[in-house]
Amino acid sequence: LDHRRAGSFARHVSALELLTADGEVRTVLPGTALFDATAGGLGLTGVVLGATLRLRRVSTGLMSVSTERAGDLDDLLARFTAGGDRLPYASAWVDLTARGRATGRGILTRGEHATPDMCPAHAGRTRLSQRSGAAPGRSLLPGLPPLPGGLLRPAAAALCNEVRYRGSPRARTGELRPAPAFFHASDALPDVRPLYGRGGLVRYRFTVGYGQEETLHRVVRR
């Protein structure tokens, strides 16, 4: 959510304790080749036994959240750019089923750590571990086996996306959410895997560099 300004997690690691293949435990520091290889090596350099992290101190367990709808992908990217670093955390949901003038429409969410003066009096009782929504992993349809063919076909997915898009505010600022509900919103979603069918669901992740907006357009139009 904050990669564009704060960088990847490796920029906030002061040291690693690494067990390498020769059985030696090494203290690995930033600026060394082994540190860089470990940070991006997917475990190939050894087993990380411990890490020293530099953390940011926050004063409450809440986030002040700004939400806005974008009518298409160009509008969404423009809003991302216009927001700058005013709020440090930003992410967007894109409706990949929308077509025509609405292709790439989405919901842009930004947030910052709420300070005590932003919070109502009872906010002091909000713990960082507090979550909203359903318990993670709880099945929406307990005991139901995967449905042959599944129910989440393109038409059903398009309907769900329409409801999500229309149900989001056109523009709203200052909404308070527990930090876990902001950073890990999908954890609160119920388990709906039976609806996917026996074939399951495939998720794709990819990274696009700055100035490569046309790549995003090609992905969204597919």
Side-chain angles (χ1 to χ4, degrees), residues 77 81 208-218:
L77 294 174
T81 302
V208 177
Y210 288 107
Q212 300 298 317
E213 289 82 359
E214 181 54 33
T215 301
L216 283 177
H217 278 280
R218 291 202 304 270

Side-chain angles (χ1 to χ4, degrees), residues 32-76:
T32 63
L34 184 55
F35 182 92
D36 293 340
T38 302
L42 300 176
L44 296 180
T45 60
V47 178
V48 176
L49 302 178
T52 303
L53 305 177
R54 295 188 301 276
L55 302 179
R56 176 182 177 182
R57 183 179 296 276
V58 298
S59 53
T60 75
L62 296 174
M63 301 294 295
S64 177
V65 181
S66 169
T67 305
E68 54 187 306
R69 288 191 336 213
D72 57 32
L73 185 57
D74 286 328
D75 184 22
L76 183 62

Side-chain angles (χ1 to χ4, degrees), residues 185-205:
S186 61
D187 287 357
L189 297 177
D191 181 6
V192 294
R193 284 176 294 179
L195 301 182
Y196 299 154
R198 298 186 185 280
L201 178 71
V202 178
R203 289 187 176 184
Y204 295 92
R205 289 189 177 185

Side-chain angles (χ1 to χ4, degrees), residues 64-69 79 86-87 107-111 167-177:
S64 177
V65 181
S66 169
T67 305
E68 54 187 306
R69 288 191 336 213
R79 291 172 185 267
R86 179 173 54 87
L87 297 177
I107 302 168
L108 176 60
T109 304
R110 296 189 180 94
S168 178
R170 291 183 180 274
R172 180 173 61 195
T173 60
E175 178 195 5
L176 294 178
R177 297 184 193 174

Side-chain angles (χ1 to χ4, degrees), residues 92-126:
W93 169 83
V94 179
D95 181 3
L96 295 181
T97 66
R99 289 294 178 261
R101 291 186 299 177
T103 298
R105 68 180 180 180
I107 302 168
L108 176 60
T109 304
R110 296 189 180 94
E112 63 179 335
H113 294 282
T115 56
D117 59 288
M118 298 178 180
C119 304
H122 69 273
R125 299 193 298 270
T126 301

